[in-house]
Amino acid sequence: MWRQPPKHKEWKGPGTTAHFYEILLGRCYTYTQIVRPELRHTDCQKIGKAFTSAFLSKDPCGSTEQDYRPLMELTTQTVPCDKTLFWSKSSELAHDYTWVQRDMYTLEDTLLGYMADGLKWCGDAGSSEMNYQSCPHWREDCSNNSVSVFWNTVSKRFAEDACGVVHVVLNGSISNTFDEKSTFGRVEVFNLHPEKVHTLKAWVMNNIESVPSDSCSSSSVNNLKQILKTRNITFVCQNNYRPVRLIQCV
Ligand code: 2NF
């Protein structure tokens, strides 16, 4: 017996999440009907279609910001000034914090971030279907893959829209507390508008098991401080900010 030829191009990363479209739509309805009912008139069908149109029938290693433009245009959501919370290497803690501090928003507390968080997706140039077998791995195959480009695009807009005092939760228990190659370091920091954002407050958190250290004075955090200085944004840093510290203990 001959093996069937692969239906799609083969990549090194896991394929599209099973039931991707249903999950996307379900999350859109959950978010707009239950989490933020003020958005109940949102057309989730239209958003779901725009999302999949951004990547279906296309080379998953040739994804661009333009591909996601129609989707971005359908989903404008304003986060109040002073309420934006970025994170880097601290996903769980940042989200646990906004779960308690309901008036603060991470990207995943906005509609598009909520819909896509934790999912994988890609299409194929030679087919109109999703590729459930494999998708490009961002390091081993290509950096401009459909998932990475999506996060770069939404992260960029999230930062551009921020105003007042913005916050970031950083991980003080790793050497690159501020990582220039992360989305926060590459995209978000450089898309803050100094006319609107006057201060960035970093909360550098240590794991509770490890000894608290003065990570605010580490070289990577100092690097962040220098970048913000050249961008005319005031930098404030706090080690183990207490309200977040309390979340780590529960
Ligand atoms: O999955 C998300 N929810 C997500 C992904 C990327 C970026 C969210 N973001 C936004 C959030 F709003 C945060 O403010 O950017 C900030 C966090 O991203 P980060 O890169 O600064 O933080 P990490 O902890 O280093 O990475 C977060 C997740 O993204 C993956 C990484 O493996 C981790 O699962 N990731 C990072 N860079 C890339 C990339 N270029 C990536 N995945 C694919 N391509």
Side-chain angles (χ1 to χ4, degrees), residues 48-71:
K49 292 259 159 48
F51 201 126
T52 51
S53 299
F55 68 91
L56 286 182
S57 306
K58 295 180 186 179
D59 169 12
C61 271
S63 190
T64 65
E65 227 179 284
Q66 279 82 317
D67 291 333
Y68 286 103
R69 188 157 297 157
L71 173 65

Side-chain angles (χ1 to χ4, degrees), residues 84-91 94-95 105-108 113-114 116-121 136-139 142-145 147-152 154-156 158 167-170 174 176 179 181-188:
T84 297
L85 182 65
F86 300 108
W87 55 268
S88 197
K89 323 268 191 266
S90 55
S91 164
H95 296 127
Y105 293 77
T106 63
L107 177 57
E108 298 73 28
Y114 185 90
D117 197 25
L119 305 182
K120 302 269 179 259
W121 63 89
H137 185 281
W138 62 288
R139 258 172 279 168
C142 58
S143 58
N144 53 339
N145 65 77
V147 175
S148 295
V149 171
F150 168 83
W151 286 114
N152 287 340
V154 291
S155 300
K156 181 179 169 197
F158 187 59
H167 306 80
V168 63
V169 179
L170 297 176
I174 53 171
N176 53 343
D179 176 1
K181 296 196 192 76
S182 69
T183 313
F184 175 68
R186 244 181 333 109
V187 180
E188 291 171 332

Side-chain angles (χ1 to χ4, degrees), residues 14 45 47 49 55 59 69 77 93 96 99 103 108 110 121 130 143 152 166 178 180 182 184-185 202-203 208 229 231:
Q45 298 285 349
I47 291 173
K49 292 259 159 48
F55 68 91
D59 169 12
R69 188 157 297 157
Q77 187 179 2
L93 183 56
D96 287 350
W99 178 249
D103 63 341
E108 298 73 28
T110 69
W121 63 89
M130 298 189 204
S143 58
N152 287 340
V166 300
F178 171 67
E180 277 189 298
S182 69
F184 175 68
W203 297 330
I208 28 179
K229 195 173 175 188
R231 303 212 59 228

Side-chain angles (χ1 to χ4, degrees), residues 8-60:
H8 301 289
K9 206 168 149 56
E10 293 180 57
W11 306 100
K12 297 203 173 72
T16 302
T17 308
H19 309 288
F20 174 80
Y21 193 65
E22 291 76 11
I23 296 173
L24 207 60
L25 270 193
R27 286 184 177 179
C28 181
Y29 285 115
T30 302
Y31 189 87
T32 58
Q33 298 300 317
I34 297 163
V35 183
R36 306 276 174 206
E38 64 274 19
L39 297 178
R40 67 188 164 275
H41 300 298
T42 306
D43 188 342
C44 285
Q45 298 285 349
K46 208 167 169 184
I47 291 173
K49 292 259 159 48
F51 201 126
T52 51
S53 299
F55 68 91
L56 286 182
S57 306
K58 295 180 186 179
D59 169 12

